[in-house]
Amino acid sequence: MINSGTGSGGAPDSWPADRAAVWRAAIGVGVATGAYGLSFGAISIAAGLSTLQTCALSLLLFSGGSQFALVGILGGGGGAISAAATAILLGSRNAFYGLRLSSTLGVTGLRRVAAAQIVIDESTAVSTAQITPRAARLGFWGTGGAVFLLWNLGTLIGAWGAGAMSDPTVFGLDAAAPAAFVALLAPRMRTAEPWLIALVASGVALASVPFVPIGVPVLFAAVVAIVLGVRR
């Protein structure tokens, strides 16, 4: 009779403990990201989008950085084309995540479509941090599902709360989008290289402000960052 608490060769089976650890990580990341979704919902309303448009962005686009960029540019008076182009540039990183995860997940058909929707920073990070393929798959699906559910719930609550205000900008919500990007960037600024890229990109963006429409300087900064990254 084989003991369910042992693996092959009588070695202890670590999967139950590994599974519990992965679920703790997935739920923890989901809760933290959901709280961040509250901010996005409020910022989007302050930028002039409706509650329906805000919730549709989270359901369909589902890429926090891209969403903040899009509503930030629209809220600053930028055009829809420049806002969409910036969002697409920022979201393109998810394609590389998908390439990294494809062999681990091994999904086909409709599951592949579902997986593509939740290929984001958080699901990739938790998945790639695991040692075994089984834990990596659970990390991806568990984290992606938790973030998707709680991000959209947070978006709805944040949008509803901001929509109930007569003027959301009175509370400084119109300035929250750039503040959110600074918060995302801060943990990555630990070596000289990201500082150099940030300084060059921001310099190009600032120099172009007097000559191009609102939102285009952000595109220039993104292109500079991509070129420098590719050269590296």
Side-chain angles (χ1 to χ4, degrees), residues 15 26 62 64 83 105 108 151:
W15 172 240
F62 188 52
L105 298 177
T108 57
W151 172 264

Side-chain angles (χ1 to χ4, degrees), residues 85-145:
T86 302
I88 290 170
L89 270 177
L90 289 173
S92 63
R93 70 191 187 282
N94 294 338
F96 297 100
Y97 294 161
L99 291 174
R100 169 67 176 80
L101 292 169
S102 60
S103 59
T104 300
L105 298 177
V107 290
T108 57
L110 291 178
R111 291 190 68 199
R112 192 180 184 91
V113 175
Q117 179 66 358
I118 60 172
V119 174
I120 52 175
D121 297 327
E122 293 82 1
S123 60
T124 303
V126 174
S127 178
T128 56
Q130 308 309 315
I131 297 175
T132 65
R134 189 180 188 183
R137 288 190 291 271
L138 177 61
F140 173 80
W141 289 107
T143 304

Side-chain angles (χ1 to χ4, degrees), residues 17 31 60 62 67 89 127 149 167 189 227:
V31 170
L60 303 175
F62 188 52
Q67 291 177 225
L89 270 177
S127 178
L149 175 63
D167 184 8
M189 307 301 288
V227 169

Side-chain angles (χ1 to χ4, degrees), residues 130-226:
Q130 308 309 315
I131 297 175
T132 65
R134 189 180 188 183
R137 288 190 291 271
L138 177 61
F140 173 80
W141 289 107
T143 304
V147 171
F148 185 83
L149 175 63
L150 295 174
W151 172 264
N152 280 281
L153 179 60
T155 296
L156 176 61
I157 295 172
W160 178 82
M165 303 175 188
S166 57
D167 184 8
T169 60
V170 170
F171 296 90
L173 294 178
D174 53 330
F181 272 105
V182 171
L184 286 171
L185 202 60
R188 295 166 173 80
M189 307 301 288
R190 294 177 179 174
T191 61
E193 185 177 17
W195 277 103
L196 176 62
I197 293 175
L199 288 172
V200 174
S202 59
V204 170
L206 288 172
S208 67
V209 168
F211 310 105
V212 295
I214 294 174
V216 175
V218 179
L219 289 175
F220 287 166
V223 170
V224 169
I226 291 171

